[in-house]
Amino acid sequence: MKSQKSLRRAVVLLIFMVAVSPMSPFRAMAREVSTDPATLKRLVQEAHAEFKDVKEGKPADYIPELAKVPPDLFGVVIVTAEGEIYTAGDVDHPFTIQSVSKPFTAALVMQEQGDEAIEEKIGVEPTGQKFNSILATQIIEDISANPLVNSGAIAAVSMVRAKSAGERFNKILKFDERLAGTKLNVIEEVYKSEAATNQRNRAHAYILEAEDRIYSDPIEAVDVYTRQCSIGVTAKQLAVMGATLANNGVNPITQEKVLDPNHVPKVLALMMMAGFYDESGEWAYTAGLPAKTGVGGGIVAVVPGKMAIVGFSPRVNDAGNSVRSAKAIEYIAQRLGANVFGG
Ligand code: GLN
């Protein structure tokens, strides 16, 4: 009896030791994402080398000034939640943030008014349509779809509390600067170029006004939105913005608490569902990371609690998503086992 008992004890102890050991199959199931410096350094360099010669897509030209950006620029960056930075290629070249600004402005509104305000006044449903689809704005009644497509993003801008358009833009810029931990500037040529050609966004704003779904003067909101999209960032700065989300709202470089941690999962949920617009399903299926793209060629992906992975490459596909940036992020995410769904 006694020996049976001690045998059982020994077996239980053995199972426990296997379970907690670094070789444990249970650990593998929990999928610890590596932040080992040598691995991250190697993966960033490999991803850059692997896709540097890909020529698929072309720089967006519906904003005339964007067509002038040298298409071969290519940068890949990881910034970890501890503030470690790993880079390859053109990571210090400023480009316009474009739609990558959208989740950050949504975060600012959440910070000011609570995350329910986004759900109630804009909506959180993916459209499955292009980022500037007028049809989507029209058919999704009572909501402006979500803050990551143009209509919802213009609505989000209009929600930022301010007495004037100037004050509203400054609030957005300051918030982005705190996320990036550095001063940022508008790239004026791109702003002027888009401001002269953004009739479609004005149409969105007027449709929103007709449905009582915009919360400042509609044309003023489009102008502030256009300025917001023209803020210049480098891939490195954008990666710090993403790493602030990965680090639960605390900038890992400056240590400033920029966003309440309870809003972070809401921002990431929006990015997961709509960050790649009409390619969001495919991105979730292949990379499995919350991410946001912009027609300037930037993409930021967030590995929650761990790091941001950023790509910058001006050639975009029909959905407006940077081809090489997406490939590089997916390459790194797969090798790190960073898919948030596991597997
Ligand atoms: N400023 C651009 C627009 O409104 C942003 C679009 C994008 O990056 N997908 O069309």
Side-chain angles (χ1 to χ4, degrees):
M1 270 305 270
K2 214 171 170 202
S3 69
Q4 239 184 22
K5 220 177 181 181
S6 54
L7 182 68
R8 216 180 300 147
R9 251 191 225 145
V11 170
V12 169
L13 189 68
L14 187 70
I15 292 173
F16 176 75
M17 281 169 65
V18 169
V20 298
S21 86
M23 303 294 284
S24 161
F26 299 107
R27 287 224 169 177
M29 271 157 66
R31 296 195 64 86
E32 201 35 52
V33 177
S34 171
T35 50
D36 163 54
T39 306
L40 298 185
K41 186 173 175 217
R42 175 177 56 79
L43 285 178
V44 162
Q45 284 167 357
E46 270 179 25
H48 185 269
E50 181 83 16
F51 303 113
K52 114 176 126 14
D53 300 321
V54 172
K55 305 270 187 227
E56 242 171 90
K58 64 180 178 59
D61 55 8
Y62 76 99
I63 300 171
E65 195 67 25
L66 283 186
K68 297 185 190 162
V69 177
D72 287 328
L73 288 167
F74 184 33
V76 183
V77 187
I78 288 178
V79 175
T80 68
E82 282 80 41
E84 303 292 332
I85 304 180
Y86 304 91
T87 65
D90 303 305
V91 297
D92 293 311
H93 186 96
F95 58 93
T96 50
I97 188 167
Q98 297 296 344
S99 289
V100 189
S101 62
K102 292 169 177 173
F104 299 114
T105 297
L108 170 60
V109 173
M110 290 179 194
Q111 189 74 3
E112 271 189 0
Q113 300 163 42
D115 43 62
E116 321 73 45
I118 291 284
E119 204 179 347
E120 284 160 16
K121 294 184 153 182
I122 299 178
V124 294
E125 294 303 335
T127 65
Q129 304 288 318
K130 295 225 170 301
F131 60 85
N132 57 3
S133 166
I134 297 278
L135 183 69
T137 304
Q138 270 182 306
I139 58 178
I140 303 185
E141 284 172 11
D142 305 324
I143 54 173
S144 329
N146 69 70
L148 305 194
V149 292
N150 287 15
S151 59
I154 295 166
V157 163
S158 77
M159 284 174 74
V160 174
R161 287 191 182 122
K163 292 199 182 66
S164 67
E167 188 192 335
R168 187 165 289 118
F169 175 69
N170 275 329
K171 262 193 164 177
I172 293 169
L173 179 66
K174 289 281 162 296
F175 190 69
D176 288 352
E177 288 182 341
R178 291 169 63 208
L179 288 160
T182 183
K183 233 190 115 28
L184 300 172
N185 295 302
V186 167
I187 301 182
E188 287 294 333
E189 298 74 36
V190 179
Y191 164 71
K192 280 188 205 129
S193 177
E194 183 167 354
T197 53
N198 65 0
Q199 292 80 3
R200 205 182 172 91
N201 285 337
R202 286 178 245 163
H204 278 286
Y206 279 132
I207 296 169
L208 293 178
E209 189 186 28
E211 305 286 339
D212 285 329
R213 288 190 274 137
I214 196 154
Y215 310 97
S216 75
D217 175 81
I219 294 308
E220 206 177 271
V222 172
D223 186 55
V224 174
Y225 163 82
T226 306
R227 264 190 187 282
Q228 165 191 302
C229 289
S230 306
I231 292 172
V233 287
T234 66
K236 232 195 264 173
Q237 291 165 342
L238 185 57
V240 177
M241 295 174 82
T244 301
L245 293 179
N247 195 32
N248 286 318
V250 177
N251 182 314
I253 307 292
T254 63
Q255 297 305 329
E256 188 188 355
K257 185 180 170 196
V258 185
L259 182 64
D260 285 347
N262 52 318
H263 299 318
V264 171
K266 307 291 184 193
V267 178
L268 298 183
L270 294 172
M271 290 165 72
M272 193 80 234
M273 297 308 292
F276 265 67
Y277 308 115
D278 43 326
E279 287 185 334
S280 299
E282 196 187 334
W283 177 254
Y285 201 80
T286 53
L289 282 181
K292 186 71 205 84
T293 67
V295 287
I299 302 182
V300 63
V302 177
V303 185
K306 294 287 176 185
M307 68 188 81
I309 313 171
V310 161
F312 161 56
S313 166
R315 291 196 188 89
V316 299
N317 64 13
D318 287 345
N321 300 329
S322 168
V323 178
R324 285 188 299 187
S325 298
K327 284 185 190 295
I329 293 169
E330 194 180 322
Y331 179 96
I332 294 170
Q334 279 174 355
R335 277 152 190 82
L336 281 178
N339 187 324
V340 294
F341 303 111

